[in-house]
Amino acid sequence: MIVVDSSVLIDFWAGDASCKAAADALMTEDSDWISVGLWRYEVGHVLTKYVRTGRISEARARAALLESDGLLIETVEEMDLSEVWDISRSTGLTYYDSSFVWLAQARGLRLRTRDEKILLKCPHVAAAMPKVVR
């Protein structure tokens, strides 16, 4: 089981070829994904932008948003807000990004992401996406 942030979910459904391949490889590596409830807002936000710019169709974006809910084996709604705050203050990450770090720490899991700041600031829980050789 792993924690995934919104970038992984977006890459899985609508990433460019290399990001999609990395998300697919991650799914093969470990298909038990969990995330914080905030993923819905960020994924919805990015997919809306992709539709507006013509990157994907509205039908594909809607399907991706709905299917993401089934892709995750768990969405954690309740967070320890004080602990997320402490992570944000100690790392310099946004409160939003710190919520994913918090979940990984709280569950003793790895957080998979392509977010460079998270990877740099939290190497104790964060791991990069798989390298895909073409």
Side-chain angles (χ1 to χ4, degrees), residues 3-28:
V3 176
V4 296
D5 69 1
S6 300
S7 68
V8 176
L9 293 168
I10 292 163
D11 289 346
F12 189 80
W13 299 112
D16 64 27
S18 63
C19 290
K20 171 79 171 117
D24 289 344
L26 183 61
M27 177 58 74
T28 300

Side-chain angles (χ1 to χ4, degrees), residues 83-103:
E83 287 183 16
V84 175
W85 179 269
D86 291 342
I87 292 167
S88 179
R89 295 290 294 148
S90 67
T91 63
L93 293 172
T94 64
Y95 192 85
Y96 171 81
D97 287 341
S98 296
S99 68
F100 295 99
V101 173
W102 168 82
L103 179 56

Side-chain angles (χ1 to χ4, degrees), residues 1 3 12 14-15 29 31 34 49 53 87 89 99 102 106 125:
M1 182 181 302
V3 176
F12 189 80
E29 184 180 304
S31 62
I34 68 171
K49 285 178 23 179
T53 61
I87 292 167
R89 295 290 294 148
S99 68
W102 168 82
V125 295

Side-chain angles (χ1 to χ4, degrees), residues 28-129:
T28 300
E29 184 180 304
D30 189 334
S31 62
D32 292 336
W33 292 5
I34 68 171
S35 196
V36 297
L38 297 171
W39 74 262
R40 292 179 181 101
Y41 304 100
E42 182 63 13
V43 171
H45 170 73
V46 172
L47 291 173
T48 299
K49 285 178 23 179
Y50 284 3
V51 168
R52 288 180 182 146
T53 61
R55 182 168 173 174
I56 63 173
S57 70
E58 183 169 348
R60 181 70 187 124
R62 283 177 181 264
L65 192 57
L66 295 174
E67 290 170 18
S68 288
D69 216 17
L71 182 68
L72 295 167
I73 65 165
E74 182 181 358
T75 296
V76 176
E77 301 294 344
E78 297 295 323
M79 298 183 292
D80 185 318
L81 303 179
S82 181
E83 287 183 16
V84 175
W85 179 269
D86 291 342
I87 292 167
S88 179
R89 295 290 294 148
S90 67
T91 63
L93 293 172
T94 64
Y95 192 85
Y96 171 81
D97 287 341
S98 296
S99 68
F100 295 99
V101 173
W102 168 82
L103 179 56
Q105 287 180 179
R107 295 286 181 93
L109 300 171
R110 296 296 278 173
L111 166 60
R112 298 305 291 266
T113 183
R114 65 178 166 82
D115 187 300
E116 293 296 327
K117 286 183 182 178
I118 295 173
L119 293 168
L120 178 66
K121 300 286 186 170
C122 301
H124 61 289
V125 295
M129 296 296 288

